[in-house]
Amino acid sequence: MTTSAGPGSVAGGTGVVRSRVAILASAQLVAGVGVSSAIAVGGLLAEEISGTASYSGLPQTANVLGAALMAVPLARLAGRAGRRTALASGFALAAAGAAVALTAAAIASLPALILGCLLLGAGMAAGLQARFAATDGVADTHRGIVLSIVVWASSLGAIVGPNLIDPGTRVGEALGIIPLGGSWVFALVALLTAALVIVLLLRGVRPATAPPRRKIRETLRSLLAHPDGRLGLVAMASGHAVMVGVMAMSSVHLHGHGSTLTFIGIVISAHVAGMYMLAPLFGWLTDRWGARAVVGVGVAVLLAGCAGAATSGVIDQGHGAHRAAEVWVTVGLVLIGFGWSAVTVAAATLIAVLSHHGDAAPTDIQGVADLTMGLAGASAGALSGVALAQLGYTGLAIAGALLLLPLVWALVRRPSAATVTLPS
């Protein structure tokens, strides 16, 4: 089986690959602080500005939608100008979004907050592209572990980010804005730093000629026609939708039942730790067991996580001890994080391998996969606030579990014999 180098990759030995992965991981670590601190406070800030929980899901939705909308443009930019230009542009645009959101906290504007979160999505899109960038020029049998290391690098920053809510409020008070908006200062600094890391350190070969553009629907059709492409797309979309839909409303649910901001930050950090800390394990297992087996493990864990979240809602709805509900929501969110990690790492590895053996530019295939993933997450996030208001947290968790049905179907469906080449 042959491999090919992607845009911005450097032909060379193991040392070159390790250096590139280390730089990508460093940028991810720093950017994780910015993106996660903003996500953690976005729903609470929207609720305070609007005065209702019904709009609290909009910031997360805008963030995920922004990531989806930027996936293909950044991927095509990588194909034309190299990975460094695309990644730095994504992080810089996200920093601009943080500045807009900070302004929204100063003038108490919900539309400005949504716009800022939409732009922040470029940072998430750049982070997703970074995991694919790590696989450029790497043998197929090692793409899973290399990809997962960059995913894992997000863990430290993403764990620290949600815990900046409390100090962020003090920054907000000092600035004379809505206190919750102070966390956006940390996001702005972190994302600018990530952009600088990429600009100053990442090196690569600029594509000699821009790859031919292929329509999104054509790339999507070719992926769906391939068994591995179909499983990869459905897994990325379903797993992300479950994670975004349940997580987006968890802070609002907890805050509404009396949980402190400090505790909410700890819970979200635990959830994010579940998303990233075991990524190298799932990457290693993907390379050895195969992606289908690891996706199956992820589905089982996601279902267990939804059950834990639903139990928390039942306790609060029955006016039981909120401390017990806090324990169950913590367990549920951590399990959802683990499940998301397993499903996403395995599915992204499938896409990474296929992208280097298709007749389209690898970045185009990767961008369409991230677009699909982002749109699924955005849709779930858009409905999560309404679901919380109408169904309660228990109903929201059950709805999340039901989103896994297409993935279960894709897993149990007997795959046809496949080659590594995508159909044209």
Side-chain angles (χ1 to χ4, degrees):
M1 183 180 295
T2 60
T3 59
S4 58
S9 65
V10 180
T14 304
V16 173
V17 173
R18 287 178 177 174
S19 176
R20 185 174 70 247
V21 171
I23 293 167
L24 291 168
S26 299
Q28 280 289 81
L29 189 155
V30 178
V33 174
V35 173
S36 63
S37 62
I39 289 176
V41 78
L44 297 173
L45 184 57
E47 183 179 18
E48 181 163 341
I49 292 175
S50 66
T52 174
S54 296
Y55 296 124
S56 55
L58 291 180
Q60 174 73 348
T61 302
N63 180 241
V64 178
L65 180 60
L69 295 177
M70 289 304 301
V72 171
L74 286 179
R76 286 177 172 168
L77 180 59
R80 295 195 308 271
R83 296 287 194 185
R84 180 172 63 171
T85 300
L87 294 176
S89 298
F91 289 134
L93 187 58
V100 172
L102 184 61
T103 302
I107 63 177
S109 170
L110 183 61
L113 175 62
I114 302 307
L115 175 60
C117 291
L118 189 70
L119 294 173
L120 183 74
M124 182 181 291
L128 292 173
Q129 185 181 123
R131 77 199 195 287
F132 284 129
T135 70
D136 289 344
V138 176
D140 289 339
T141 53
H142 295 91
R143 291 195 200 271
I145 186 63
V146 169
L147 180 150
S148 66
I149 288 173
V150 176
V151 174
W152 171 82
S154 305
S155 61
L156 181 58
I159 291 169
V160 170
N163 286 293
L164 296 177
I165 295 178
D166 197 32
T169 58
R170 293 193 288 273
V171 172
E173 291 171 353
L175 293 175
I177 63 177
I178 296 175
L180 284 169
S183 294
W184 289 95
V185 174
F186 303 136
L188 175 60
V189 174
L191 289 162
L192 284 176
T193 302
L196 285 174
V197 168
I198 294 297
V199 169
L200 297 177
L201 300 179
L202 188 64
R203 294 292 180 267
V205 178
R206 185 188 180 106
T209 57
R213 291 181 60 178
R214 190 164 70 168
K215 293 181 179 180
I216 292 175
R217 65 174 178 270
E218 293 175 354
T219 302
L220 183 62
R221 187 184 305 115
S222 68
L223 280 170
L224 290 174
H226 191 287
D228 286 348
R230 185 166 54 248
L231 177 60
L233 283 177
V234 174
M236 289 175 69
S238 297
H240 202 51
V242 174
M243 186 276 292
V244 172
V246 178
M247 185 271 289
M249 289 297 101
S250 294
S251 58
V252 176
H253 164 71
L254 287 169
H255 192 250
H257 286 84
S259 294
T260 65
L261 292 177
T262 299
F263 178 79
I264 292 173
I266 292 172
V267 171
I268 299 300
S269 291
H271 164 72
V272 173
M275 290 174 63
Y276 299 115
M277 291 298 287
L278 295 185
L281 171 62
F282 295 129
W284 180 80
L285 290 175
T286 297
D287 288 337
R288 281 152 182 79
W289 291 1
R292 182 172 292 270
V294 178
V295 169
V297 169
V299 169
V301 178
L302 281 170
L303 288 171
C306 288
T311 301
S312 171
V314 169
I315 293 173
D316 278 331
Q317 189 175 12
H319 304 291
H322 184 58
R323 183 63 57 87
E326 288 180 331
V327 171
W328 276 105
V329 77
T330 302
V331 171
L333 287 179
V334 169
L335 289 175
I336 287 174
F338 286 150
W340 177 89
S341 183
V343 167
T344 302
V345 167
T349 301
L350 284 173
I351 298 300
V353 171
L354 287 174
S355 69
H356 288 279
H357 296 281
D359 59 355
T363 50
D364 277 0
I365 295 171
Q366 295 160 7
V368 168
D370 281 342
L371 170 64
T372 304
M373 176 180 174
L375 289 177
S379 299
L383 296 173
S384 62
V386 177
L388 180 66
Q390 300 297 322
L391 305 175
Y393 194 61
T394 299
L396 175 65
I398 294 173
L402 293 176
L403 291 176
L404 290 170
L405 289 177
L407 179 52
V408 172
W409 175 83
L411 278 172
V412 300
R413 183 184 182 188
R414 184 178 179 84
S416 58
T419 62
V420 295
T421 303
L422 282 172
S424 58

